[in-house]
Each structure stands twice: as C-alpha cells, then as structure tokens.
Amino acid sequence: MKAENFRRHRRLRRSDSMRAMVRETFLHKEDLIYPVFAVEENDVRREVPSMPGVFHFSLDHLNAEIKEVVELGIQSVIVFGVPNHKDAVGSEAYCETGIVQRAIKQIKDEFPELTVIADTCLCQYTDHGHCGVIEDGYVLNDESLELLTKTAISQAEAGADIIAPSNMMDGFVGAIRKGLDEAGFVDVPVMSYAVKFSSAFYGPFRDAAHSSPQFGDRKTYQMDPANRLDAIREAESDVEEGADFLMVKPALSYLDIIRELKDRFPLPMVAYNVSGEYSMIKAASQNGWLNEEEVVLEKLTSMKRAGADLIITYFAKDAARWLDK
C-alpha cells in the first residue's frame, strides 16, 4: 500500500512529550470531591468492610482526615452522616445537633478554605431506610419535600457551602431552593443529584451509611437504568427549578448520559464514581488482576472526557497522590 493512501496517525504518538503535547483531556486534583463518613461514637476510625481504604470517623478523628485531604490539594469534601438514632421521619437529618451538622461546623471552623458539600437525604436517618415519609409502604412525595427542605436549611445553618440533595423526589430542587432563599441562604448553591439511577452499584455505600431499605426497593423514585430520555427530563426539571450543578450517579455505566447532559445544559456537571465502582477495582487490584493506579486514572479521565467537570470519588486521595507524580 502506498503511503498516500492512508493517514499516519501514529506520528503524534511517538514519544511521551509528543503524546502530552496533543492530549485533549486532563484530570486535576481540583476536579476531585472526597466523600467523608462521620459517626457519633468516640475514638472511631473504622474501615468499611466492603470498601477497603474507606473509614468511618468520629468527630475526634475527623480533623486528622480532613487535614490530610487539604494537604493533598483536594479542595472539596462531601459529608455523609451515620446517626445512632433513627426514626420513621429521619429527624436526626434536620436536627441542629445532628452528626452531619456537627461535622460540617467542625470542618468549616478548622478548615474554612475547604468547600464542604452536604449530602441531603433521609435514607440513613430513617428506620425504614427509604428517602422520605412512608404511608402504606409507599414513599410520599410532597410530605417528604418538607423534611428535605428542613434538612437543607439546617445544613446551611451549620456552614455547608453547597447543598447536594440526593433523594429523587419530584420537585426537590425547587422546594429546597425556595426554602434556602426564604431562610436567607440565597448564595448557597444546589448540587442536584439530577440523574440518579436505581443501580446495583450502591451496595457498599449502603454498608458504609447503614442505609439499606428495610423493605422493598427504591425503584419508584430512583431511575430505571434502561432510560435515557427520562434522564434528560429529570435534568431539565432541575435546571428549571434552579439547580446550580447537575450530577449523574453512577458514573461509569452512564458516561453516555453525562455527555448528553453536558451538551444540553450550561451547568457544571458532576459524576459520582460510586461505591460499587470503587470496590470492584479494589478487589481486583488486591488480587493482582489489574494495576490499580493505571485503571483508576484511566477511569476518572474517561469521566472527564465524557463531560464531567467534577468527580465525587473514594479514590480522591490516591488519585491526588498519583497526579502529583
């Protein structure tokens, strides 16, 4: 075959420096959001069994973890709480002395420059494990919105920089935005879990947050993994209701959704690299089946390439160290 009959794409791959010169997508430490689990006991730094390297922290150990995060150059964390007390309406979620509220205040007092995101949901605070008020085995939408709004306001009062509602009730962004504005938090943005699929990848997180449903499942409010147009409708509703960020969860199996939403809506796009995506890589790497560093960085870069501006990932600390190399 004569040279003029084909293009020589390999010319731009001949060396490390040449490949770096033409690289299109970059992963930065500033893109990473690190999840933190706060618990109410004392003297606790307890590894989550299904998530090697991820820990529960009591407040007396939390500052040491956050100090390491800040020193690594990670600029944002998202806080999840694991309360001791649960009830039918998740009252600890919106209690001013709840574990998340205390954790947020402590972090902001010690590390004011760090952006602290509050996960706003009820599932880990309810004794039934669902994300709202239950009646006859069904999650009530509008009644749940009232409690979620109270939760968001209490988190903003504690010092949260961003409210991230993850409940998937209809109208949750509008209700929370209205509540925050009326409470004087007009400058606190809403990072909407706009597209949250009913996924099998959440199992290890439910182990970490003690949030498994005690009956049924969450398919009446989380989205069918088969649906693309439903994702667009959900995101469009959240944009209309005042969302400041859009999130897709999980990330790895839904890169097509991330790209489509990024192309359609002019808002920062967040990908949640969820617990199941984390744990399966950890398990494979511990068995020597793959190179953890190479796989994780490739995976996170794929999320950026798909259109994510920010990535919530349990690999954030490791990724920050690898990027420094």
Side-chain angles (χ1 to χ4, degrees), residues 266-277:
L267 292 180
M269 180 61 56
V270 185
Y272 198 141
N273 176 209
V274 299
S275 60
E277 297 168 348

Side-chain angles (χ1 to χ4, degrees), residues 11 13 20 23 28 39 43 50 61 67 72 120 148 160-161 194 198 202 247 267 301 309 320:
R11 289 171 180 154
R13 303 171 193 158
R23 187 162 295 137
H28 304 287
V39 299
D43 194 25
S50 58
H61 284 273
K67 182 174 185 290
L72 285 169
T120 307
L148 291 161
D161 298 294
S198 181
Y202 300 152
M247 188 189 303
L267 292 180
T301 301
D309 301 291

Side-chain angles (χ1 to χ4, degrees), residues 100 116 131:
V100 160
V116 176
C131 303

Side-chain angles (χ1 to χ4, degrees), residues 279-290:
S279 294
M280 63 185 184
I281 290 177
K282 278 291 185 182
S285 64
Q286 288 178 351
N287 277 285
W289 296 338
L290 50 76

Side-chain angles (χ1 to χ4, degrees), residues 139-203:
V139 179
L140 300 177
N141 194 89
D142 296 9
E143 292 81 353
S144 300
L145 292 180
E146 295 179 15
L147 300 184
L148 291 161
T149 300
K150 288 175 62 176
T151 301
I153 293 170
S154 73
Q155 293 169 337
E157 289 172 341
D161 298 294
I162 298 173
I163 298 299
S166 59
N167 54 90
M168 288 301 288
M169 296 296 109
D170 290 337
F172 69 93
V173 170
I176 288 172
R177 180 72 272 159
K178 182 174 183 290
L180 289 172
D181 291 350
E182 291 177 350
F185 296 106
V186 295
D187 292 325
V188 174
V190 173
M191 178 184 287
S192 172
Y193 285 65
V195 178
K196 183 177 179 180
F197 289 94
S198 181
S199 172
F201 284 101
Y202 300 152

Side-chain angles (χ1 to χ4, degrees), residues 89-318:
V89 293
S91 59
E92 284 296 305
Y94 43 87
C95 176
E96 65 179 20
T97 58
I99 182 60
V100 160
Q101 287 78 2
R102 285 184 286 147
I104 291 169
K105 186 177 188 306
Q106 179 174 309
I107 294 170
K108 290 302 294 184
D109 285 347
E110 188 69 21
F111 306 96
E113 75 283 4
L114 188 69
T115 297
V116 176
I117 304 166
D119 177 77
T120 307
C121 199
L122 300 177
C123 60
Q124 60 262 50
Y125 303 94
T126 56
D127 53 16
H128 46 74
H130 282 281
C131 303
V133 179
I134 300 291
E135 184 176 286
D136 297 329
Y138 186 75
V139 179
L140 300 177
N141 194 89
D142 296 9
E143 292 81 353
S144 300
L145 292 180
E146 295 179 15
L147 300 184
L148 291 161
T149 300
K150 288 175 62 176
T151 301
I153 293 170
S154 73
Q155 293 169 337
E157 289 172 341
D161 298 294
I162 298 173
I163 298 299
S166 59
N167 54 90
M168 288 301 288
M169 296 296 109
D170 290 337
F172 69 93
V173 170
I176 288 172
R177 180 72 272 159
K178 182 174 183 290
L180 289 172
D181 291 350
E182 291 177 350
F185 296 106
V186 295
D187 292 325
V188 174
V190 173
M191 178 184 287
S192 172
Y193 285 65
V195 178
K196 183 177 179 180
F197 289 94
S198 181
S199 172
F201 284 101
Y202 300 152
F205 174 89
R206 292 173 183 173
D207 183 22
H210 301 170
S211 62
S212 296
Q214 298 305 299
F215 65 89
D217 53 41
R218 296 177 180 153
K219 293 181 180 179
T220 66
Y221 45 102
Q222 294 180 358
M223 291 175 47
D224 186 336
N227 290 354
R228 165 184 157 270
L229 295 179
D230 196 11
I232 297 170
R233 290 193 295 268
E234 286 277 4
E236 186 174 38
S237 294
D238 289 358
V239 172
E240 292 171 352
E241 291 173 24
D244 300 283
F245 302 79
L246 296 176
M247 188 189 303
V248 174
K249 178 183 180 182
L252 198 57
S253 293
Y254 302 93
L255 296 178
D256 59 321
I257 304 298
I258 293 173
R259 168 47 56 194
E260 184 145 17
L261 297 190
K262 183 64 176 178
D263 289 343
R264 284 176 177 263
F265 303 110
L267 292 180
M269 180 61 56
V270 185
Y272 198 141
N273 176 209
V274 299
S275 60
E277 297 168 348
Y278 172 87
S279 294
M280 63 185 184
I281 290 177
K282 278 291 185 182
S285 64
Q286 288 178 351
N287 277 285
W289 296 338
L290 50 76
N291 182 302
E292 181 177 357
E293 177 180 344
E294 291 180 358
V295 168
V296 170
L297 293 179
E298 179 180 340
K299 178 183 68 170
L300 297 179
T301 301
S302 78
M303 296 170 194
K304 287 292 300 291
R305 189 187 65 245
D309 301 291
L310 300 165
I311 303 171
I312 301 173
T313 178
Y314 304 96
F315 284 113
K317 292 197 301 181
D318 289 333

